Amino acid sequence: MAPQIQVDSNCLNVFNDFKISSGNKKLLVLKVRGDQVEVDQDLSNIGTNEELCSCLPDNEAKFILHHLEFDLPSNNERTTKMVLVIYIPEGINNNTIEKVKLPSAILIVKENFGSNVSLCLEVSSKDEMTREALVERCLKVLGK
């Protein structure tokens, strides 16, 4: 049976602050530690996707909430979407404990944060985490 994962209460408070920040803070990174989803303080203080990419682990999943700002090609209108990026690196296959917890963690993250995001994307490599790659995926999902 998969372990029961819970969202840390502090994580919910930090998320609520992030949600109402209207994009002043661009990234909020969550991680699974033990049986808790919690804020990854080290990675949440990073300001850009490129910096984040250089710090992402190769064998640990992360949940990145991102205030992603971009132009819609149809009318050049600037928009901001809150995107949940589920980062599941290929190296996770070598981490049995992480693999067992992951399905439960994904479910609990989507249950707790999913209604507040515009898009949910899964990525498996750092290349897919660049700002340009995320914008391209968002536009494709939005049909733009």
Side-chain angles (χ1 to χ4, degrees), residues 63-115:
F63 303 93
I64 301 116
L65 290 150
H66 195 325
H67 284 290
L68 188 61
E69 190 175 325
F70 55 95
D71 293 324
L72 295 172
S74 57
N75 59 5
N76 277 345
E77 182 180 318
R78 195 89 171 145
T79 189
T80 300
K81 301 288 184 191
M82 188 185 302
V83 179
L84 170 61
V85 180
I86 302 171
Y87 172 71
I88 307 171
E90 293 177 14
I92 204 167
N93 292 327
N94 300 325
N95 187 338
T96 305
I97 293 171
E98 186 81 9
K99 272 181 21 180
V100 169
K101 291 180 185 180
L102 192 56
S104 180
I106 290 171
L107 181 64
I108 202 72
V109 166
K110 285 182 176 180
E111 283 177 3
N112 281 270
F113 307 108
S115 65

Side-chain angles (χ1 to χ4, degrees), residues 5-106:
I5 305 290
Q6 300 293 319
V7 174
D8 177 69
S9 61
N10 181 57
C11 184
L12 292 171
N13 293 334
V14 171
F15 173 73
N16 285 328
D17 290 342
F18 175 76
K19 182 173 61 174
I20 62 174
S21 72
S22 298
N24 294 334
K25 186 167 173 47
K26 299 289 184 201
L27 299 166
L28 177 62
V29 182
L30 309 177
K31 65 180 178 182
V32 177
R33 190 170 95 184
D35 62 352
Q36 296 279 310
V37 174
E38 60 185 38
V39 175
D40 188 322
Q41 295 293 347
D42 294 332
L43 294 181
S44 289
N45 290 323
I46 292 174
T48 67
N49 288 64
E50 287 66 30
E51 291 174 84
L52 178 62
C53 288
S54 69
C55 297
L56 284 171
D58 293 325
N59 63 350
E60 183 182 345
K62 298 289 181 183
F63 303 93
I64 301 116
L65 290 150
H66 195 325
H67 284 290
L68 188 61
E69 190 175 325
F70 55 95
D71 293 324
L72 295 172
S74 57
N75 59 5
N76 277 345
E77 182 180 318
R78 195 89 171 145
T79 189
T80 300
K81 301 288 184 191
M82 188 185 302
V83 179
L84 170 61
V85 180
I86 302 171
Y87 172 71
I88 307 171
E90 293 177 14
I92 204 167
N93 292 327
N94 300 325
N95 187 338
T96 305
I97 293 171
E98 186 81 9
K99 272 181 21 180
V100 169
K101 291 180 185 180
L102 192 56
S104 180
I106 290 171

